[in-house]
């Protein structure tokens, strides 16, 4: 937003949100995600709801493109506060953390997701892998045992059961 336009009252109109969105869409479609960030943020500040989810998704893409992962995590918190029970938003948060290699934030979002969707196989699998990464093999074994009960023919789950049992044995 330009300061020389701020006294005109334009920032409070619905047209401001639309213009911000269209400018951002043009820049995103032109593969200029970094340049789109101010317009995407302006749209969010406008309070308009129509394209809010799309704007959050594009802002996360911009954070990934510019490798600004810390801003991305802050944005994820804001996004999930706006849409606390939206599985697609939660999935976006989880995928962003995986892509950025941020296991601390990933654990936070997986825990939040499992509190809402306790039997989600994808979230359980990610939780199991996070436990393995932290060498919490007994906790990982509990997760993969749960997954094995619901999907006994899954080879990947069987491999993790064997791996965690082996690691627990080695530690003992």
């Amino acid at each position: 937003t330009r300061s020389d336009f701020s006294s005109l009252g334009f920032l409070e109109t619905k047209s401001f949100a639309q213009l911000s969105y269209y400018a951002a869409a043009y820049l995103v479609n032109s593969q200029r995600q970094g340049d789109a960030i101010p317009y995407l943020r302006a749209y969010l500040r406008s309070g308009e709801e129509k394209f809010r989810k799309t704007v959050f998704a594009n802002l996360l893409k911009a954070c990934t493109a510019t490798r600004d992962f810390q801003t991305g995590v802050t944005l994820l918190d804001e996004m999930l506060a706006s849409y606390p029970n939206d599985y697609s938003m939660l999935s976006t948060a989880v995928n962003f953390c995986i892509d950025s290699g941020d296991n601390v934030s990933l654990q936070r979002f997986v825990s939040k997701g499992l509190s809402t969707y306790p039997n989600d196989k994808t979230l359980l699998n990610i939780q199991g892998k996070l436990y393995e990464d932290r060498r919490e093999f007994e906790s990982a074994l509990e997760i993969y045992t749960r997954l094995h009960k619901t999907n006994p023919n899954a080879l990947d789950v069987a491999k993790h059961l064997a791996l965690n049992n082996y690691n627990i044995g080695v530690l003992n």
Side-chain angles (χ1 to χ4, degrees), residues 45-64:
R45 283 192 309 273
S46 75
E48 180 63 40
E49 292 290 324
K50 186 174 182 180
F51 299 112
R52 194 169 181 81
K53 285 184 181 183
T54 303
V55 167
F56 272 124
N58 283 323
L59 256 172
L60 283 173
K61 287 178 188 174
C63 288
T64 301

Side-chain angles (χ1 to χ4, degrees), residues 102-172:
D102 182 355
N103 282 356
V104 172
S105 297
L106 177 60
Q107 179 61 71
R108 193 163 43 91
F109 294 126
V110 167
S111 295
K112 178 179 176 26
L114 286 172
S115 70
T116 307
Y117 308 99
N119 297 316
D120 184 272
K121 292 177 186 175
T122 301
L123 292 174
L124 286 169
N125 192 35
I126 294 168
Q127 181 62 73
K129 289 177 183 173
L130 286 168
Y131 282 142
E132 288 173 347
D133 289 347
R134 292 193 308 253
R135 303 181 57 80
E136 296 175 21
F137 302 117
E138 290 185 19
S139 296
L141 182 61
E142 289 175 28
I143 295 290
Y144 286 109
T145 300
R146 281 179 61 191
L147 286 169
H148 183 68
K149 287 178 183 174
T150 60
N151 198 358
N153 296 326
L155 181 60
D156 190 52
V157 172
K159 285 179 184 178
H160 283 281
L161 281 173
L163 175 71
N164 287 295
N165 275 309
Y166 174 80
N167 285 326
I168 290 169
V170 168
L171 290 176
N172 286 332

Side-chain angles (χ1 to χ4, degrees), residues 8 18 21 37 44 54:
L8 300 176
Q18 290 173 335
Y21 180 78
I37 291 173
L44 290 177
T54 303

Side-chain angles (χ1 to χ4, degrees), residues 71-91:
T71 299
V73 170
T74 302
L75 181 65
L76 290 170
D77 287 326
E78 183 183 337
M79 181 178 78
L80 289 175
S82 296
Y83 304 100
N85 297 318
D86 188 311
Y87 187 82
S88 67
M89 292 286 136
L90 175 65
S91 179

